[in-house]
Amino acid sequence: MNLDDFLSWFNSTGVNTENVNVSYSITSGFGLYSRRELIEKDFLILSLPEHLFIKPSFNTNDLTGFEHLIIYLLEEKTNPYIKFLRSIQCIPQWRYYPNDKYPQQLIDKMKKHLNKYNQSRNKILQYNDDEFQWAYYSINTRCVHFNMENDSKDQDDNLCLIPYLDFVNHSIEPNTISKFNSLTRSYEIYSIKTIDFNEQITFLYNPHSNVDLFIEYGFILSLNPYNQFNIEYNLEQFLSNEQIQIIKSYNYWNLLEFYSGDNDLSWTIIKAIELNINQSQWSPYDDPSSKDKYQLKNKMKEFLNLIQQNIEKDFQEWITDHFIVEKNILYKDFLTTLHDTSIVIDKSIITTYIYFYQFITSQIK
């Protein structure tokens, strides 16, 4: 089914699409664009009624809502929306190139992603790999959070597919916001700034880093303020096994990320590096002494040097014919995050003690 066939069906549902039109570009794929001369701020652009939503059936208790939707997509043969999805490329490109020697930051996230994928695959064996993969990623790249009013708090149970809404692409500077209106029982898109004629309609999927965008959706952004760098792998090289177990025993083996921009270091990172300085006098709760603060700053710099060496090694070994642009952007992202972190360390090594004190005490309780 081509785009015209799908739109012909969708327009027959009675949904008012006079404000927008669907178009395709090589750079961003299918997208939704304004057809009004000017859309003012706080304007209702589109309203999609609940009867069009594709929701999990929950007719089998051992499957998540996500997995129910997988089966629905594979079994449904007449729904025009599903027919259209079958013609769209939705599988992240890295899945086609498993032999690329990816950087550790990508490998760690890829493993988690594939673990979840395989859990569902092992439950649903009656379809071939290509069919299952298409269905899985059609949902993974297009589903919307929707409270199914059940007892489950699992996000994989509280989601649905909404035809036409999924033409809206992601942006870190979105011009709309979408939300479910419980009074009209519709998913609505409102402008949050003025939108010009033929300007693309966008919203923020989530504050995803480029690593997450690459793995979950198959694209990255040249400028992304939500980038982060997980340091768990590097800490495993920097700390002894005994020190790692101490950190984990206090439930400090979390919040182990550096962030781009002027973001304070988390208390868990500070205490992990401090443990490497003076294990015999280390306290999980107390602010380091003045002497230890000076040593801590130097130890942090040493740790950053280790991370940079790992990054350089990873990207030298990542020889790829498929992700040249992505490789260059990610390399820049990682080094920028380290640079920003170095500046934060220079400003103040213990700026987050008060901010994280409640978090720390709550974890111990």
Side-chain angles (χ1 to χ4, degrees):
M1 172 178 274
N2 61 30
L3 177 62
D4 291 338
D5 291 335
F6 166 75
L7 293 178
S8 176
W9 164 79
F10 187 78
N11 290 332
S12 72
T13 65
V15 175
N16 184 350
T17 59
E18 65 179 3
N19 299 315
V20 293
N21 67 282
V22 178
S23 187
Y24 180 85
S25 74
I26 296 176
T27 55
S28 58
F30 288 103
L32 208 60
Y33 294 82
S34 168
R35 62 167 58 164
R36 291 176 65 93
E37 198 65 35
L38 182 70
I39 294 178
E40 300 288 348
K41 182 182 177 182
D42 300 323
F43 183 82
L44 175 59
I45 298 173
L46 186 66
S47 179
L48 298 161
E50 188 176 7
H51 69 81
L52 291 177
F53 299 6
I54 299 174
K55 306 174 187 176
S57 63
F58 296 106
N59 55 8
T60 306
N61 292 331
D62 61 341
L63 297 179
T64 66
F66 190 107
E67 291 159 353
H68 279 288
L69 289 177
I70 291 175
I71 293 176
Y72 175 83
L73 262 59
L74 291 168
E75 291 290 337
E76 176 57 46
K77 306 299 182 184
T78 61
N79 186 309
Y81 173 63
I82 308 304
K83 288 184 177 180
F84 179 64
L85 287 185
R86 292 184 183 278
S87 67
I88 295 176
Q89 165 56 255
C90 59
I91 301 170
Q93 286 295 302
W94 67 271
R95 290 300 314 268
Y96 295 112
Y97 307 108
N99 295 324
D100 256 28
K101 191 173 177 59
Y102 296 100
Q104 192 65 42
Q105 288 290 306
L106 292 181
I107 290 173
D108 291 342
K109 285 290 181 75
M110 287 172 175
K111 286 180 178 178
K112 292 179 181 178
H113 177 94
L114 290 174
N115 283 340
K116 181 181 176 182
Y117 177 92
N118 290 328
Q119 285 175 8
S120 295
R121 182 68 180 116
N122 291 334
K123 292 183 187 179
I124 305 173
L125 299 172
Q126 63 268 41
Y127 307 96
N128 67 43
D129 288 341
D130 289 342
E131 289 177 322
F132 179 87
Q133 191 175 61
W134 163 77
Y136 184 95
Y137 285 108
S138 291
I139 300 165
N140 196 62
T141 57
R142 292 174 174 273
C143 66
V144 176
H145 176 80
F146 183 73
N147 187 354
M148 296 299 295
E149 298 180 354
N150 53 29
D151 293 333
S152 174
K153 295 182 180 180
D154 188 339
Q155 63 178 3
D156 278 357
D157 288 332
N158 293 283
L159 51 82
C160 68
L161 293 171
I162 304 179
Y164 207 85
L165 179 73
D166 52 11
F167 283 125
V168 182
N169 286 320
H170 169 77
S171 173
I172 57 172
E173 296 180 340
N175 50 27
T176 70
I177 187 171
S178 63
K179 56 186 177 182
F180 182 71
N181 186 327
S182 59
L183 296 178
T184 63
R185 304 305 297 179
S186 299
Y187 218 90
E188 299 175 340
I189 300 178
Y190 282 89
S191 59
I192 57 175
K193 60 179 71 172
T194 57
I195 302 173
D196 295 327
F197 174 74
N198 207 34
E199 182 178 345
Q200 185 170 182
I201 306 299
T202 59
F203 53 63
L204 181 71
Y205 290 176
N206 267 314
H208 290 307
S209 69
N210 270 344
V211 170
D212 289 330
L213 290 175
F214 181 77
I215 292 171
E216 299 295 331
Y217 300 101
F219 69 88
I220 62 176
L221 305 172
S222 57
L223 295 174
N224 188 345
Y226 301 111
N227 283 327
Q228 61 187 55
F229 189 95
N230 185 278
I231 63 169
E232 183 175 317
Y233 164 74
N234 297 280
L235 272 180
E236 288 173 347
Q237 295 177 286
F238 199 70
L239 302 177
S240 69
N241 290 333
E242 180 185 1
Q243 290 168 344
I244 290 173
Q245 293 308 312
I246 292 173
I247 291 295
K248 289 183 176 180
S249 70
Y250 288 98
N251 202 23
Y252 281 10
W253 198 254
N254 48 34
L255 297 179
L256 297 178
E257 287 90 22
F258 292 151
Y259 297 91
S260 59
D262 187 15
N263 291 286
D264 291 336
L265 295 176
S266 74
W267 177 259
T268 53
I269 292 175
I270 292 171
K271 298 310 289 184
I273 301 301
E274 184 196 355
L275 181 62
N276 190 255
I277 298 173
N278 193 350
Q279 182 172 334
S280 62
Q281 297 183 19
W282 182 82
S283 166
Y285 318 118
D286 297 335
D287 193 352
S289 67
S290 298
K291 176 183 176 182
D292 284 346
K293 285 181 181 179
Y294 176 78
Q295 292 180 294
L296 184 56
K297 181 175 180 177
N298 291 332
K299 187 62 71 170
M300 279 286 188
K301 294 290 187 178
E302 181 184 335
F303 183 52
L304 292 184
N305 287 335
L306 169 66
I307 295 175
Q308 181 157 350
Q309 291 172 15
N310 287 336
I311 292 173
E312 299 290 351
K313 180 175 180 293
D314 277 352
F315 278 84
Q316 286 174 6
E317 293 178 351
W318 187 17
I319 301 171
T320 178
D321 296 325
H322 321 295
F323 304 112
I324 305 301
V325 173
E326 291 86 350
K327 176 181 176 179
N328 291 334
I329 292 175
L330 288 169
Y331 177 69
K332 180 181 177 182
D333 287 346
F334 294 164
L335 293 187
T336 298
T337 302
L338 284 191
H339 175 72
D340 292 347
T341 302
S342 179
I343 292 175
V344 170
I345 292 172
D346 284 337
K347 284 182 179 179
S348 176
I349 193 61
I350 309 294
T351 58
T352 56
Y353 172 70
I354 296 176
Y355 181 80
F356 280 94
Y357 179 75
Q358 290 182 333
F359 165 78
I360 296 163
T361 55
S362 67
Q363 297 302 306
I364 304 308
K365 292 177 182 178

